[in-house]
Amino acid sequence: METNHEFEILPLEAEHEQLVSALLAETFTSGEPLCKGRISVEEFLPFSKFIVHMAVLEGLSYVAKEKTTGKLASFSICNDYFAPDPPGMEQVMCAPLVPIFSLLHKLFKMASLPYLKLGELFHVFMGGTAKEFEGRGLGFKMRQHSLGMARSKGYQAVIVEASNPVTLHIWKNKLGGESLASITLNTFEDEHSERPFNHLNHKVELVVVHLDRSV
């Protein structure tokens, strides 16, 4: 457990599943550029519940709670980058999520990864902060915590697909991340030669933080 004067960071456990699933659905449908305006909370929630449950089983994810109230403030869903998709994931994916995963797969194919085995790349997959706790430094704190978590589990590096410019700034400029591949969103074509992110003109980047060089 990690603490500061306002929050404590704890492993994601079964007792957190319901609250984290709801917060994940809320934050991703309202704030994630790839989801905003394309997926409703109701559409996303089955996927959210599935992902959070699998994260509890894998044991690499964590939450932040406000110390004075015990309220859930933030979460980070993490996994091994080379772990196979869990059985049943495709069944809970709503249609608007499909091009997002196609985009992430293309980033993976474009990158020259310095690590290729299970146990080497700690993947920060999804994260979010409740609105009432925004602006209190949790975005940086939670991402910084991933570096320590990855080290404690024996990983060589942390990897993330950053589609939010604020998130990208933290990973690259504050935590020493290196971009391995990038796609300008309005140029991405899915398997049907359509451009599902034509309204977005910024980049999504695959960023790695080498733990032997990080801050």
Side-chain angles (χ1 to χ4, degrees):
M1 180 180 73
E2 180 180 336
T3 62
N4 62 22
H5 68 287
E6 290 187 279
F7 304 101
E8 57 181 355
I9 299 178
L10 306 160
L12 173 66
E13 296 180 345
E15 66 187 80
H16 307 127
E17 278 193 46
Q18 186 174 355
L19 288 175
V20 173
S21 296
L23 184 56
L24 171 57
E26 176 190 336
T27 55
F28 261 68
T29 56
S30 65
E32 164 56 48
L34 300 178
C35 292
K36 191 174 182 179
R38 301 182 65 249
I39 308 174
S40 69
V41 171
E42 292 73 21
E43 285 179 300
F44 191 86
L45 196 54
F47 178 79
S48 180
K49 290 178 178 179
F50 180 86
I51 289 298
V52 173
H53 180 68
M54 297 310 300
V56 169
L57 297 180
E58 192 164 4
L60 297 177
S61 302
Y62 48 95
V63 299
K65 289 186 174 182
E66 188 178 40
K67 288 167 66 175
T68 56
T69 66
K71 286 184 178 180
L72 175 69
S74 189
F75 68 91
S76 187
I77 304 298
C78 307
N79 55 26
D80 191 299
Y81 190 65
F82 290 109
D85 290 339
M89 191 171 84
E90 289 188 4
Q91 283 69 40
V92 295
M93 284 179 60
C94 58
L97 282 173
V98 174
I100 295 175
F101 278 85
S102 295
L103 172 70
L104 301 185
H105 183 64
K106 184 174 182 179
L107 270 179
F108 166 73
K109 289 171 65 177
M110 291 170 62
S112 296
L113 291 171
Y115 312 99
L116 296 172
K117 300 176 183 177
L118 278 169
E120 291 186 335
L121 276 178
F122 184 94
H123 182 211
V124 179
F125 182 35
M126 293 177 161
T129 297
K131 286 185 179 180
E132 66 179 292
F133 297 108
E134 290 178 350
R136 292 164 69 174
L138 268 175
F140 173 74
K141 188 71 176 175
M142 293 292 279
R143 290 163 178 85
Q144 186 182 49
H145 184 81
S146 72
L147 306 186
M149 171 77 84
R151 284 192 186 98
S152 73
K153 301 289 186 179
Y155 283 86
Q156 304 285 320
V158 171
I159 195 165
V160 61
E161 301 94 351
S163 58
N164 187 307
V166 174
T167 300
L168 184 61
H169 169 73
I170 292 174
W171 283 111
K172 292 181 71 175
N173 300 327
K174 292 189 174 183
L175 295 175
E178 168 194 351
S179 181
L180 299 178
S182 68
I183 298 172
T184 302
L185 288 168
N186 60 11
T187 68
F188 169 72
E189 292 188 352
D190 64 17
E191 60 269 28
H192 306 295
S193 299
E194 296 179 353
R195 295 188 177 187
F197 311 116
N198 198 41
H199 59 296
L200 299 172
N201 59 12
H202 64 277
K203 293 180 179 180
V204 58
E205 298 191 29
L206 187 65
V207 177
V208 66
V209 180
H210 304 279
L211 294 177
D212 59 347
R213 308 177 211 165
S214 64
V215 294

